[in-house]
């Protein structure tokens, strides 16, 4: 009996995988992300050279058989640094999106759940924040809390929360009157229980999709801050720091800036394609329009 | 020469990787100046038949098979280009749902003359005059004002008359009207029906009239085609079919007509439910509801059988009675 | 309609106040005293007090805010601490460059995005669709400065088609506008594609086919026109986001502008300049969104009627 059931009702992840296998762009995105995660985890073993050892005698050498991506102004191997940078970019992306989602979900949930003046105030702030270029907000925040990778992560996190707040709020508004919430209320559950055990888990879907794409945006923003001299500081091989460092040698050794940029392009493309595929797979749009 | 002869029309769609054929074995013919009434329950495939004749189904992802002879041409073998010069020009279509059939961002006047521009060499002024003339014939009050309005500013009845005007403005030879008067009140409905009839008599236009309303069909049609679950089950002159219906489904339909007029929804008074596309029973599709069902009905699909000149029925009871 | 415009315009006033408060307080959270950067090495504590007074930095924050706001709305935006010239003059000098770049970038992102969106929706799920969508995404996958540098490397240095930097001719505007526009084009392309695909399934399209119109005529005249509504909405809402790249691009191409002015002021803790340029940038974004909103109301007769 049970076996029969299993055969007839395929588990949801099988259905999702099947659907994904038909979405060519989604598949490409998934592959790109898996590659990134693999490289990020195994970075120390993949690097052909040390990412920080300097060799003045091979400064700014173009790509060759021994250095596939050439060397930078300190004679460091660009490929090794790009590989190590994958790790940093990935961590920066995930951590800062984590902060954004955390703030966004709390703010959005409170606004949607309590409504009234609280909602009006929070929504106005969220909408204004959302309308502003994130780079402007992050720049100001870095100016306040100081440079360095940790502050950059916090600043990016604080720049992108508004979109998640908007998403969660919309979801909560549509769920608030749902039957099961009414039922939970009549059973005497407290606001907090309803909010955190029922409303938020049931409205997190679109947020997860947006967060996937958000990781890509965060990685790009980190690089931009780096370029403006407000990102990770020099020895750290984040892609952003490498690119901003390479800017000075753009016309002499363009490979120093080219390869980290291409790596970032593929990574962020991966997150975007994967996020788009998730939208299709989970039918998020349907939920949003409810 | 043939005016319109539809043979073995079939439309196939692909839904979730499964092929469905909502209409099959649809055959009928029309003469110049004739009114053919088409009836059938919801989902029986009336609208789809109309779309397929105009080759519209293939534009929205369907496959059309069979033959649609219009004059000396087989419409289904024409190129999309050639079809475009026939659509809206020689064959016009009045869609079933006027509420959603107009483009929301253009003035209705512009939508009426759009087809005129495309098919007839005509000046802007002349096109507008022609449109206004038709709008007035359709009892649209303050036609000049309505011409400048957007769809959302009009009532359902007015929108319905606008889609009718779109169909009529190019003076087509064949008019396919899919429930053209559902949103209108009885007097306007009668006037528009009279207008349709006048056009068929004066200009020899053929009218394929799709409706739920057997009362209307009885009054205006020359012939009737009864559809059930994607097939035409009975076809013949209106008098013959109304006086001596053959198919058990037609009989049941006619039994449902109350003596004074006919209200919508009464067709559902027949026992049982209409099978949906893809869930058709084997053999005769009417078999689960048919009081006369007998041995072959559950296994063999009944073919259209000619009973008399212009009269055909698809039911095993009449199989082989006449050829 | 006019009443609607008036109401919306009045709504900009409270938004202006919110922005001014946020900008003002943010700036004062920045560590470090601007006075420090003004003092020549070896100056005494008295010099310091004197300078602080001269710049009004000794008063309490609310007082500073009120004074600042009052002066600001009357057009006196103070002196630049570093440049020693009126902030108003600096803004007036830089504003036109930023507006030119902003408008040009918006054009690029709109037309590039819309074209890619139409192409990929018309060729749904084909190779062309995938390629257009990937091209559309490229702008958001790399930082604007990187794209700008690479474009500069290819088109200015290697091909010599455009000047490397500068701000005079239209030619100097091309690469910066394309760079910034590419970022927004991806967003616009995706919205256009989705919105077009939705329109293809609308019932009114069937009647258009029945009128004998060709597919291309229907796509351009009807489907696109209808699909444009959500595109304009998103365009207005994300205006600021689309223009975000402009801040860095002014530096990459060494163009004058509010963005580069803001950045150099930020490095040097030049409060009055930072405040004024922030207020201007944010107000520009909000006014842009407001204009898009009006365009939307103009383009959709249904919305137009609601506001009558
Ligand atoms: N584009 C399509 N794709 C898939 N199935 C379709 C499509 N168009 C129509 N069908 C199917 O064809 C069947 C017949 O539809 P049709 O609209 O022709 O019925 P109808 O007789 O006009 O009904 P009504 O009286 O409600 O107008 C429907 O059940 C529908 O499922
Ligand atoms: S074929 Fe049989 S089941 Fe079908 S209508 Fe005729 S008698 Fe009834
Ligand atoms: Mg129908």
């Amino acid at each position: 009996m049970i076996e029969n059931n299993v055969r007839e009702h395929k588990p949801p992840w099988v259905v999702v995988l099947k659907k994904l296998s038909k979405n060519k762009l989604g598949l490409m995105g998934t592959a790109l992300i898996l590659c990134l995660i693999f490289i990020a985890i195994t970075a120390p073993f993949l690097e052909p050279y040390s990412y920080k050892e300097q060799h003045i005698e091979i400064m700014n050498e173009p790509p060759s058989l021994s250095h596939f991506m050439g060397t930078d102004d300190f004679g460091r191997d660009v490929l090794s640094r790009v590989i190590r940078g994958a790790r940093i970019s990935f961590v920066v992306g995930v951590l800062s999106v984590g902060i954004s989602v955390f703030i966004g979900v709390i703010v959005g949930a409170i606004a949607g759940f309590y409504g009234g003046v609280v909602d009006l105030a929070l929504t106005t702030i969220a909408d204004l924040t959302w309308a502003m270029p994130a780079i402007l907000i992050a720049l100001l925040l870095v100016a306040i809390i100081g440079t360095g990778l940790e502050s950059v992560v916090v600043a990016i996190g604080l720049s992108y929360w508004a979109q998640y707040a908007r998403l969660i709020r919309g979801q909560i508004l549509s769920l608030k009157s749902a039957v099961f919430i009414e039922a939970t209320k009549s059973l005497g559950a407290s606001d907090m229980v309803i909010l955190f055990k029922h409303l938020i888990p049931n409205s997190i879907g679109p947020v997860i999709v947006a967060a996937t794409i958000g990781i890509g945006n965060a990685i790009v923003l980190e690089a931009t801050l780096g370029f403006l001299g407000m990102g990770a500081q020099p020895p750290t091989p984040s892609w952003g720091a490498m690119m901003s460092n390479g800017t000075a040698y753009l016309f002499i050794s363009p490979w120093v800036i080219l390869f980290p940029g291409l790596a970032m392009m593929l990574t962020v493309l991966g997150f975007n394609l994967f996020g788009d595929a998730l939208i299709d797979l989970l039918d998020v749009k349907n939920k949003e329009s409810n | 020469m043939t005016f319109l002869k539809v043979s073995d029309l079939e439309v196939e769609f692909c839904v979730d990787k499964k092929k469905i054929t909502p209409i099959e074995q649809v055959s009928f013919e029309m003469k110049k100046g004739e009114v053919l009434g088409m009836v059938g329950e919801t989902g029986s495939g009336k609208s789809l038949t109309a779309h397929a004749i105009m080759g519209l189904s293939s534009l929205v992802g369907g496959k059309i098979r069979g033959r649609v002879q219009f004059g000396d041409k087989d419409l289904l073998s024409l190129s999309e280009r050639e079809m475009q010069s026939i659509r809206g020009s020689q064959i016009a279509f009045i869609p079933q749902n006027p509420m959603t059939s107009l483009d929301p961002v253009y003035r209705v006047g512009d939508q009426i003359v759009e087809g005129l521009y495309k098919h007839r060499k005509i000046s802007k002024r002349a096109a507008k005059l022609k449109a206004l003339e038709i709008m007035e014939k359709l009892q649209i009050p303050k036609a000049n004002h309505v011409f400048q309005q957007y769809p959302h500013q009009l009532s359902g009845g007015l929108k319905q008359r606008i889609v009718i005007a779109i169909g009529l403005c190019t003076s087509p030879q064949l008019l396919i009207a899919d429930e053209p008067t559902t949103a209108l009140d009885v007097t306007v409905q009668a006037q528009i029906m009279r207008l349709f009839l006048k056009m068929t008599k004066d200009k020899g236009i053929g009218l394929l009239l799709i409706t739920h309303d057997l009362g209307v069909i009885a009054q205006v049609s020359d012939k009737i085609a009864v559809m059930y679950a994607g097939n035409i089950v009975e076809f013949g002159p209106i008098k013959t079919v109304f006086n001596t219906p053959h198919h058990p489904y037609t009989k049941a339909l006619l039994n449902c007509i109350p003596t004074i007029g006919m209200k919508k929804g009464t067709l559902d008074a027949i026992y049982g439910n209409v099978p949906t596309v893809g869930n058709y029973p084997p053999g005769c599709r009417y078999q689960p509801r048919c009081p006369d069902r007998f041995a072959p009905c559950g296994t063999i699909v009944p073919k259209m059988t000619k009973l008399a000149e212009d009269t055909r029925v698809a039911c095993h009871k009449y199989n082989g009675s006449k050829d | 309609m006019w009443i609607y415009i008036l109401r919306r315009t009045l709504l900009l006033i409270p938004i202006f106040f919110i922005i001014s408060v946020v900008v003002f307080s943010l700036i004062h959270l920045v560590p470090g005293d601007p006075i420090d950067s003004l003092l020549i090495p070896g100056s005494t504590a008295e010099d310091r007090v004197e300078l602080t007074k001269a710049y009004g930095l000794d008063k309490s924050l609310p007082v500073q805010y009120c004074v600042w706001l009052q002066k600001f709305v009357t057009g006196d935006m103070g002196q630049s601490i570093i440049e020693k010239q009126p902030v108003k003059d600096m803004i007036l000098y830089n504003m036109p460059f930023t507006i030119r770049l902003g408008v040009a970038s918006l054009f690029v992102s709109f037309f590039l995005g819309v074209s890619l969106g139409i192409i990929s929706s018309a060729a749904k799920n084909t190779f062309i669709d995938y390629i257009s969508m990937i091209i559309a995404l490229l702008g958001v996958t790399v930082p604007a400065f990187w794209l700008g540098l690479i474009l500069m490397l290819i088109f200015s240095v290697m091909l010599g088609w455009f000047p490397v930097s500068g701000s005079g001719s239209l030619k100097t505007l091309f690469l910066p506008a394309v760079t910034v526009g590419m970022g927004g084009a991806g967003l616009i392309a995706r919205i256009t594609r989705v919105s077009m695909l939705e329109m293809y399934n609308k019932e009114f399209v069937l009647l258009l086919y029945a009128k004998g119109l060709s597919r291309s005529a229907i796509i351009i005249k009807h489907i696109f026109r209808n699909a444009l509504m959500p595109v304009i909405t998103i365009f207005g809402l994300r205006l600021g986001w689309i223009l975000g790249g402009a801040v860095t691009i002014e530096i990459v191409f060494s163009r004058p502008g509010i963005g580069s002015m803001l950045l150099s002021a930020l490095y040097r803790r030049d409060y009055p300049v930072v405040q004024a340029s922030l207020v201007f940038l944010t107000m520009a974004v909000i006014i842009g969104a407001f204009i898009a909103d009006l365009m939307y109301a103009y383009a959709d007769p249904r919305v137009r009627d609601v506001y009558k």
Side-chain angles (χ1 to χ4, degrees), chain B residues 64-83:
Chain B
I64 313 172
R65 279 185 287 258
R67 215 181 136 79
V68 177
Q69 175 100 15
F70 179 65
D72 54 358
K73 297 188 193 91
D74 173 16
L75 296 187
L76 298 185
S77 67
L78 296 184
S79 70
E80 174 56 24
R81 253 246 138 106
E82 291 166 309
M83 266 318 277

Side-chain angles (χ1 to χ4, degrees), chain A residues 16-51:
Chain A
V16 168
L17 275 187
K18 257 211 161 143
K19 266 189 164 175
L20 183 64
S21 69
K22 274 175 219 144
N23 183 338
K24 293 200 185 75
L25 289 183
L27 218 54
M28 191 173 142
T30 317
L32 285 171
I33 294 178
L34 289 179
C35 268
L36 175 79
I37 293 176
F38 175 75
I39 292 175
I41 292 174
T42 58
F45 307 103
L46 291 177
E47 295 157 12
Y49 300 91
S50 154
Y51 70 92

